[in-house]
Amino acid sequence: MSFSALGLDPKILQAVKDAGYTEPTPIQSAAIPPILAGHDLIGIAQTGTGKTAAFTLPMLTRLATVIGDGRQRGTRALVLAPTRELALQIDENVRAYGRHLPLRVATVFGGVGEHPQINALRAGTHLIIACPGRLMDLMQRRYADFSQLQYLVLDEADRMLDMGFLPSIRQIVRSLPQKRQTLLFSATLSKEIETLTHEFQHAPKLFQIGRRANPAETVTQLVYEVPKSLKPALLLHLLKDPAMNMVLVFSRMKHAADRVARNLESAGIRTATLHSNRSQNQRLRALKDFKDGIVRVLVATDIAARGIDVDGISHVVNYDFP
């Protein structure tokens, strides 16, 4: 199936073509038609399967008429995401797919000054991408108006539950119009997610792509059993292999990530760290330097485990058990 067969707006199709995409992924093929038909939807698929486009493309298609009419005011769509990095990545995708529309987008998250975000909301926006904490704060201060909202997306919903956002999400949803289309995307379909769907959705269509128990077919997995005291030496030994040219190292704890990074830097290996104790600017710089090849190794906690799209990673090292 091609994107042109899915019923997307011609301006959206042009943006997809501009981005170099020719065929939809399985989750996109499954999700786009029912979203265009107005159904609530549950999409279960692993990270890296194209979930962002699966909800962004049909949502922008349905919003195209409203966006094109300058008289229509008010926020029409809200996307909730668990981390700042994922919110920014969704923002990047939305702007790319909506490049041929007069689309106004605001992205709301903590860790940075609030005034640019407040100004964007005051100016009026069609679509808001937000982390629950900062959005709750701005909603309580009446900076966000969702009276015209038509679409709600909960992205990486299981991760948001893991991070304790359920009370905030419930409070946000209570402030939204009951008559809306609600899309939920997750890597797993747990009992908690099922409870959430009963609470927030109406007769949702369910699409589950692939089995979470299986790794991607293109990934080779290796296990090294090693005493904890020898982990730093083993990592340095592995990094002597020039094939390990773009390496993501996962550490379970923030302080351990810093320690691993210091050890690599002292050995002359260009390294950046990504975890919640870093400022937003430091986090953005670390991710950009990794994507641009300025640093060879990015040491991160599981803040980078969901939805972060970096082309060209050669190896992923779980320095600790997740």
Side-chain angles (χ1 to χ4, degrees):
M1 181 181 290
S2 66
F3 280 106
S4 58
L6 293 175
L8 296 170
D9 183 272
K11 292 179 180 177
I12 307 300
L13 285 174
Q14 182 59 50
V16 170
K17 185 178 179 181
D18 294 343
Y21 301 124
T22 55
E23 294 182 1
T25 66
I27 188 65
Q28 291 162 6
S29 295
I32 288 174
I35 294 174
L36 287 174
H39 296 288
D40 284 8
L41 182 133
I42 306 166
I44 307 298
Q46 291 175 286
T47 292
T49 54
K51 285 184 289 183
T52 303
F55 64 78
T56 300
L57 299 179
M59 189 166 62
L60 290 179
T61 288
R62 298 198 74 196
L63 284 171
T65 303
V66 173
I67 291 171
D69 186 346
R71 295 171 298 175
Q72 298 286 342
R73 306 295 294 175
T75 300
R76 300 298 171 132
L78 170 63
V79 180
L80 293 178
T83 66
R84 307 166 198 172
E85 285 75 18
L86 183 54
L88 285 168
Q89 188 164 289
I90 295 169
D91 175 275
E92 188 178 311
N93 280 275
V94 166
R95 292 179 189 278
Y97 300 139
R99 61 184 300 183
H100 300 299
L101 300 172
L103 178 67
R104 296 191 300 275
V105 184
T107 304
V108 171
F109 52 83
V112 295
E114 64 178 20
H115 293 296
Q117 298 174 7
I118 290 172
N119 291 338
L121 296 182
R122 280 176 168 165
T125 178
H126 299 114
L127 191 150
I128 295 174
I129 302 153
C131 295
R134 174 61 65 87
L135 180 64
M136 272 284 301
D137 177 47
L138 298 184
M139 287 176 68
Q140 288 168 352
R141 292 153 62 192
R142 302 184 181 277
Y143 287 120
D145 175 16
F146 292 121
S147 59
Q148 303 296 313
L149 190 93
Q150 296 171 270
Y151 309 101
L152 169 65
V153 180
L154 302 173
D155 194 23
E156 301 288 4
D158 51 348
R159 180 72 178 130
M160 286 199 282
L161 296 188
D162 290 344
M163 294 174 71
F165 284 134
L166 182 55
S168 296
I169 294 170
R170 282 193 168 123
Q171 196 164 339
I172 290 167
V173 173
R174 278 198 293 268
S175 303
L176 306 179
Q178 287 194 346
K179 188 177 180 181
R180 64 174 190 271
Q181 187 175 6
T182 303
L183 313 174
L184 184 148
F185 288 83
S186 174
T188 59
L189 185 59
S190 62
K191 288 182 179 179
E192 291 79 11
I193 293 295
E194 289 181 345
T195 300
L196 210 60
T197 66
H198 293 314
E199 197 172 332
F200 296 155
Q201 294 184 294
H202 174 70
K205 303 285 185 182
L206 170 64
F207 295 95
Q208 190 158 1
I209 306 298
R211 292 177 53 199
R212 180 156 173 76
N214 291 348
E217 291 180 2
T218 54
V219 175
T220 300
Q221 299 194 80
L222 302 171
V223 177
Y224 295 93
E225 294 189 33
V226 60
K228 185 177 180 180
S229 61
L230 294 181
K231 280 186 179 183
L234 176 58
L235 182 59
L236 285 172
H237 174 73
L238 292 173
L239 287 169
K240 290 179 181 178
D241 182 354
M244 296 185 72
N245 54 36
M246 192 176 190
V247 183
L248 178 56
V249 177
F250 280 115
S251 171
R252 195 164 56 87
M253 308 293 285
K254 291 175 280 191
H255 63 83
D258 288 333
R259 190 165 57 243
V260 170
R262 285 195 301 269
N263 187 50
L264 295 179
E265 284 281 358
S266 66
I269 297 169
R270 296 293 301 275
T271 305
T273 54
L274 183 65
H275 56 67
S276 60
N277 275 5
R278 309 283 285 173
S279 72
Q280 185 59 31
N281 284 338
Q282 288 173 323
R283 287 160 65 167
L284 290 174
R285 170 58 61 184
L287 200 54
K288 185 177 187 304
D289 286 352
F290 186 53
K291 287 181 174 181
D292 292 346
I294 296 171
V295 299
R296 179 183 172 197
V297 179
L298 178 66
V299 184
T301 57
D302 66 357
I303 197 170
R306 289 290 184 88
I308 302 302
D309 185 16
V310 180
D311 289 332
I313 291 178
S314 62
H315 294 74
V316 175
V317 177
N318 283 305
Y319 192 81
D320 304 305
F321 277 106

Short mmCIF file of all heavy atoms in Angstrom, two decimals, residues 90-131:
data_model
loop_
_atom_site.label_atom_id
_atom_site.label_comp_id
_atom_site.label_asym_id
_atom_site.label_seq_id
_atom_site.Cartn_x
_atom_site.Cartn_y
_atom_site.Cartn_z
N ILE A 90 8.32 14.99 18.43
CA ILE A 90 6.98 15.03 17.85
C ILE A 90 6.75 16.39 17.19
O ILE A 90 6.22 16.48 16.08
CB ILE A 90 5.89 14.76 18.92
CG1 ILE A 90 6.02 13.32 19.44
CG2 ILE A 90 4.49 14.98 18.34
CD1 ILE A 90 5.17 13.05 20.67
N ASP A 91 7.18 17.46 17.87
CA ASP A 91 7.08 18.81 17.31
C ASP A 91 7.78 18.88 15.95
O ASP A 91 7.23 19.43 14.98
CB ASP A 91 7.71 19.80 18.28
CG ASP A 91 7.75 21.22 17.74
OD1 ASP A 91 8.72 21.55 17.02
OD2 ASP A 91 6.83 22.00 18.03
N GLU A 92 8.98 18.32 15.88
CA GLU A 92 9.75 18.33 14.63
C GLU A 92 8.99 17.60 13.52
O GLU A 92 8.92 18.08 12.38
CB GLU A 92 11.09 17.64 14.89
CG GLU A 92 12.10 17.72 13.78
CD GLU A 92 13.41 17.05 14.17
OE1 GLU A 92 13.94 17.33 15.25
OE2 GLU A 92 13.88 16.22 13.37
N ASN A 93 8.37 16.47 13.86
CA ASN A 93 7.62 15.71 12.87
C ASN A 93 6.35 16.43 12.44
O ASN A 93 6.02 16.47 11.24
CB ASN A 93 7.26 14.33 13.43
CG ASN A 93 8.41 13.34 13.36
OD1 ASN A 93 8.63 12.69 12.34
ND2 ASN A 93 9.18 13.24 14.42
N VAL A 94 5.64 17.00 13.40
CA VAL A 94 4.40 17.71 13.08
C VAL A 94 4.68 18.88 12.14
O VAL A 94 3.97 19.10 11.16
CB VAL A 94 3.72 18.21 14.38
CG1 VAL A 94 2.64 19.25 14.06
CG2 VAL A 94 3.10 17.05 15.14
N ARG A 95 5.76 19.62 12.42
CA ARG A 95 6.09 20.76 11.56
C ARG A 95 6.51 20.30 10.16
O ARG A 95 6.21 20.97 9.16
CB ARG A 95 7.19 21.59 12.21
CG ARG A 95 6.74 22.31 13.46
CD ARG A 95 7.85 23.12 14.12
NE ARG A 95 7.46 23.62 15.42
CZ ARG A 95 6.75 24.71 15.64
NH1 ARG A 95 6.36 25.45 14.60
NH2 ARG A 95 6.43 25.09 16.85
N ALA A 96 7.20 19.15 10.09
CA ALA A 96 7.60 18.62 8.78
C ALA A 96 6.37 18.18 7.97
O ALA A 96 6.24 18.52 6.79
CB ALA A 96 8.57 17.46 8.95
N TYR A 97 5.45 17.45 8.60
CA TYR A 97 4.28 16.94 7.88
C TYR A 97 3.26 18.05 7.61
O TYR A 97 2.45 17.93 6.68
CB TYR A 97 3.62 15.81 8.66
CG TYR A 97 4.52 14.62 8.90
CD1 TYR A 97 4.53 13.96 10.13
CD2 TYR A 97 5.38 14.16 7.91
CE1 TYR A 97 5.36 12.87 10.35
CE2 TYR A 97 6.22 13.08 8.13
CZ TYR A 97 6.21 12.44 9.36
OH TYR A 97 7.04 11.37 9.58
N GLY A 98 3.29 19.12 8.42
CA GLY A 98 2.35 20.22 8.21
C GLY A 98 2.98 21.42 7.53
O GLY A 98 2.42 22.52 7.58
N ARG A 99 4.09 21.21 6.85
CA ARG A 99 4.85 22.33 6.29
C ARG A 99 4.10 23.08 5.20
O ARG A 99 4.36 24.26 4.94
CB ARG A 99 6.19 21.84 5.74
CG ARG A 99 6.07 20.82 4.61
CD ARG A 99 7.41 20.29 4.16
NE ARG A 99 8.28 21.35 3.66
CZ ARG A 99 9.48 21.15 3.16
NH1 ARG A 99 9.97 19.92 3.10
NH2 ARG A 99 10.20 22.15 2.71
N HIS A 100 3.14 22.43 4.55
CA HIS A 100 2.38 23.09 3.49
C HIS A 100 1.03 23.62 3.99
O HIS A 100 0.18 24.01 3.18
CB HIS A 100 2.17 22.14 2.32
CG HIS A 100 3.45 21.65 1.71
ND1 HIS A 100 4.38 22.50 1.14
CD2 HIS A 100 3.99 20.40 1.61
CE1 HIS A 100 5.41 21.80 0.71
NE2 HIS A 100 5.20 20.52 0.99
N LEU A 101 0.86 23.63 5.32
CA LEU A 101 -0.35 24.18 5.93
C LEU A 101 0.03 25.39 6.78
O LEU A 101 1.14 25.44 7.32
CB LEU A 101 -1.02 23.13 6.84
CG LEU A 101 -1.49 21.83 6.20
CD1 LEU A 101 -1.94 20.85 7.29
CD2 LEU A 101 -2.63 22.07 5.22
N PRO A 102 -0.87 26.36 6.95
CA PRO A 102 -0.60 27.49 7.86
C PRO A 102 -0.80 27.06 9.31
O PRO A 102 -1.67 27.56 10.03
CB PRO A 102 -1.63 28.54 7.41
CG PRO A 102 -2.77 27.75 6.88
CD PRO A 102 -2.15 26.52 6.23
N LEU A 103 0.01 26.12 9.74
CA LEU A 103 -0.17 25.43 11.02
C LEU A 103 0.56 26.17 12.14
O LEU A 103 1.72 26.54 12.01
CB LEU A 103 0.39 24.00 10.89
CG LEU A 103 0.36 23.11 12.13
CD1 LEU A 103 -1.09 22.79 12.50
CD2 LEU A 103 1.13 21.81 11.85
N ARG A 104 -0.13 26.37 13.26
CA ARG A 104 0.48 26.97 14.45
C ARG A 104 0.61 25.89 15.53
O ARG A 104 -0.39 25.28 15.92
CB ARG A 104 -0.35 28.14 14.96
CG ARG A 104 -0.42 29.31 13.99
CD ARG A 104 -1.02 30.55 14.65
NE ARG A 104 -2.37 30.32 15.15
CZ ARG A 104 -3.46 30.43 14.41
NH1 ARG A 104 -3.38 30.75 13.13
NH2 ARG A 104 -4.65 30.22 14.94
N VAL A 105 1.84 25.66 15.98
CA VAL A 105 2.14 24.60 16.94
C VAL A 105 2.84 25.20 18.15
O VAL A 105 3.71 26.07 18.01
CB VAL A 105 3.06 23.53 16.30
CG1 VAL A 105 3.29 22.38 17.28
CG2 VAL A 105 2.46 23.00 15.00
N ALA A 106 2.49 24.75 19.34
CA ALA A 106 3.20 25.12 20.56
C ALA A 106 3.64 23.85 21.27
O ALA A 106 2.89 22.87 21.32
CB ALA A 106 2.31 25.95 21.48
N THR A 107 4.86 23.86 21.80
CA THR A 107 5.38 22.71 22.55
C THR A 107 5.67 23.16 23.97
O THR A 107 6.35 24.17 24.20
CB THR A 107 6.65 22.15 21.89
OG1 THR A 107 6.33 21.82 20.53
CG2 THR A 107 7.12 20.89 22.59
N VAL A 108 5.13 22.41 24.94
CA VAL A 108 5.10 22.83 26.34
C VAL A 108 5.76 21.75 27.19
O VAL A 108 5.30 20.61 27.21
CB VAL A 108 3.64 23.06 26.79
CG1 VAL A 108 3.55 23.28 28.28
CG2 VAL A 108 3.02 24.23 26.03
N PHE A 109 6.84 22.11 27.89
CA PHE A 109 7.51 21.16 28.79
C PHE A 109 8.32 21.94 29.81
O PHE A 109 8.62 23.12 29.63
CB PHE A 109 8.42 20.19 28.00
CG PHE A 109 9.37 20.87 27.07
CD1 PHE A 109 10.59 21.37 27.52
CD2 PHE A 109 9.07 21.01 25.72
CE1 PHE A 109 11.47 21.99 26.65
CE2 PHE A 109 9.94 21.64 24.85
CZ PHE A 109 11.15 22.13 25.31
N GLY A 110 8.68 21.27 30.89
CA GLY A 110 9.44 21.90 31.96
C GLY A 110 10.93 21.92 31.67
O GLY A 110 11.39 21.44 30.64
N GLY A 111 11.67 22.50 32.63
CA GLY A 111 13.13 22.54 32.50
C GLY A 111 13.66 23.72 31.74
O GLY A 111 14.87 23.91 31.64
N VAL A 112 12.77 24.52 31.16
CA VAL A 112 13.16 25.73 30.44
C VAL A 112 12.22 26.86 30.87
O VAL A 112 11.19 26.63 31.51
CB VAL A 112 13.08 25.56 28.90
CG1 VAL A 112 14.07 24.53 28.42
CG2 VAL A 112 11.66 25.15 28.48
N GLY A 113 12.55 28.10 30.50
CA GLY A 113 11.70 29.23 30.85
C GLY A 113 10.30 29.07 30.26
O GLY A 113 10.13 28.59 29.14
N GLU A 114 9.31 29.50 31.02
CA GLU A 114 7.92 29.31 30.59
C GLU A 114 7.40 30.43 29.69
O GLU A 114 6.41 30.25 28.99
CB GLU A 114 7.02 29.21 31.83
CG GLU A 114 6.98 30.47 32.66
CD GLU A 114 6.05 30.35 33.86
OE1 GLU A 114 5.74 29.23 34.27
OE2 GLU A 114 5.65 31.40 34.38
N HIS A 115 8.05 31.59 29.68
CA HIS A 115 7.47 32.75 28.99
C HIS A 115 7.31 32.53 27.48
O HIS A 115 6.26 32.90 26.92
CB HIS A 115 8.29 34.00 29.28
CG HIS A 115 8.20 34.43 30.72
ND1 HIS A 115 7.01 34.85 31.29
CD2 HIS A 115 9.13 34.49 31.70
CE1 HIS A 115 7.21 35.14 32.56
NE2 HIS A 115 8.50 34.93 32.83
N PRO A 116 8.29 31.95 26.75
CA PRO A 116 8.05 31.69 25.32
C PRO A 116 6.86 30.76 25.09
O PRO A 116 6.10 30.93 24.14
CB PRO A 116 9.36 31.05 24.85
CG PRO A 116 10.39 31.53 25.81
CD PRO A 116 9.69 31.62 27.12
N GLN A 117 6.68 29.78 25.99
CA GLN A 117 5.55 28.85 25.86
C GLN A 117 4.23 29.57 26.14
O GLN A 117 3.24 29.37 25.42
CB GLN A 117 5.75 27.66 26.80
CG GLN A 117 6.99 26.85 26.49
CD GLN A 117 7.27 25.76 27.51
OE1 GLN A 117 6.47 25.49 28.40
NE2 GLN A 117 8.43 25.12 27.38
N ILE A 118 4.22 30.42 27.16
CA ILE A 118 3.01 31.20 27.46
C ILE A 118 2.66 32.12 26.29
O ILE A 118 1.50 32.22 25.89
CB ILE A 118 3.21 32.01 28.75
CG1 ILE A 118 3.26 31.07 29.97
CG2 ILE A 118 2.11 33.05 28.92
CD1 ILE A 118 3.65 31.75 31.26
N ASN A 119 3.67 32.77 25.73
CA ASN A 119 3.43 33.66 24.59
C ASN A 119 2.86 32.91 23.39
O ASN A 119 1.98 33.41 22.68
CB ASN A 119 4.72 34.38 24.19
CG ASN A 119 5.17 35.39 25.24
OD1 ASN A 119 4.36 35.84 26.05
ND2 ASN A 119 6.45 35.72 25.25
N ALA A 120 3.37 31.68 23.16
CA ALA A 120 2.86 30.87 22.04
C ALA A 120 1.40 30.50 22.27
O ALA A 120 0.59 30.53 21.34
CB ALA A 120 3.71 29.60 21.89
N LEU A 121 1.04 30.17 23.51
CA LEU A 121 -0.35 29.82 23.80
C LEU A 121 -1.25 31.05 23.68
O LEU A 121 -2.37 30.96 23.17
CB LEU A 121 -0.45 29.23 25.22
CG LEU A 121 0.27 27.90 25.45
CD1 LEU A 121 0.05 27.42 26.88
CD2 LEU A 121 -0.20 26.83 24.47
N ARG A 122 -0.76 32.19 24.13
CA ARG A 122 -1.56 33.42 24.03
C ARG A 122 -1.80 33.81 22.58
O ARG A 122 -2.85 34.36 22.23
CB ARG A 122 -0.83 34.55 24.75
CG ARG A 122 -1.01 34.55 26.26
CD ARG A 122 -0.18 35.66 26.88
NE ARG A 122 -0.51 35.89 28.28
CZ ARG A 122 0.25 36.58 29.11
NH1 ARG A 122 1.39 37.12 28.68
NH2 ARG A 122 -0.12 36.76 30.37
N ALA A 123 -0.81 33.56 21.73
CA ALA A 123 -0.92 33.94 20.32
C ALA A 123 -1.94 33.07 19.59
O ALA A 123 -2.38 33.42 18.49
CB ALA A 123 0.45 33.84 19.64
N GLY A 124 -2.28 31.95 20.16
CA GLY A 124 -3.23 31.04 19.52
C GLY A 124 -2.51 29.94 18.77
O GLY A 124 -1.56 30.22 18.03
N THR A 125 -2.92 28.71 18.97
CA THR A 125 -2.23 27.59 18.35
C THR A 125 -3.24 26.51 17.99
O THR A 125 -4.21 26.28 18.73
CB THR A 125 -1.15 27.03 19.31
OG1 THR A 125 -0.52 25.91 18.72
CG2 THR A 125 -1.75 26.61 20.64
N HIS A 126 -3.04 25.87 16.84
CA HIS A 126 -3.93 24.78 16.44
C HIS A 126 -3.65 23.50 17.21
O HIS A 126 -4.55 22.71 17.47
CB HIS A 126 -3.76 24.48 14.94
CG HIS A 126 -4.09 25.62 14.06
ND1 HIS A 126 -3.16 26.27 13.27
CD2 HIS A 126 -5.27 26.26 13.81
CE1 HIS A 126 -3.74 27.23 12.59
NE2 HIS A 126 -5.01 27.25 12.90
N LEU A 127 -2.38 23.29 17.54
CA LEU A 127 -1.96 22.00 18.09
C LEU A 127 -0.93 22.23 19.19
O LEU A 127 0.01 23.01 19.01
CB LEU A 127 -1.38 21.13 16.97
CG LEU A 127 -1.10 19.66 17.27
CD1 LEU A 127 -1.24 18.83 15.99
CD2 LEU A 127 0.31 19.46 17.83
N ILE A 128 -1.12 21.58 20.32
CA ILE A 128 -0.19 21.66 21.44
C ILE A 128 0.40 20.29 21.69
O ILE A 128 -0.31 19.28 21.76
CB ILE A 128 -0.89 22.16 22.72
CG1 ILE A 128 -1.38 23.60 22.55
CG2 ILE A 128 0.05 22.08 23.93
CD1 ILE A 128 -2.20 24.13 23.71
N ILE A 129 1.73 20.23 21.81
CA ILE A 129 2.45 19.02 22.20
C ILE A 129 3.01 19.30 23.59
O ILE A 129 3.68 20.32 23.79
CB ILE A 129 3.58 18.71 21.22
CG1 ILE A 129 3.03 18.56 19.80
CG2 ILE A 129 4.33 17.44 21.64
CD1 ILE A 129 4.02 18.88 18.72
N ALA A 130 2.74 18.44 24.56
CA ALA A 130 3.06 18.81 25.93
C ALA A 130 3.44 17.62 26.79
O ALA A 130 2.98 16.49 26.58
CB ALA A 130 1.86 19.52 26.56
N CYS A 131 4.29 17.89 27.78
CA CYS A 131 4.50 16.98 28.90
C CYS A 131 3.48 17.35 29.97
O CYS A 131 3.20 18.55 30.18
CB CYS A 131 5.92 17.09 29.43
SG CYS A 131 7.18 16.57 28.24
#
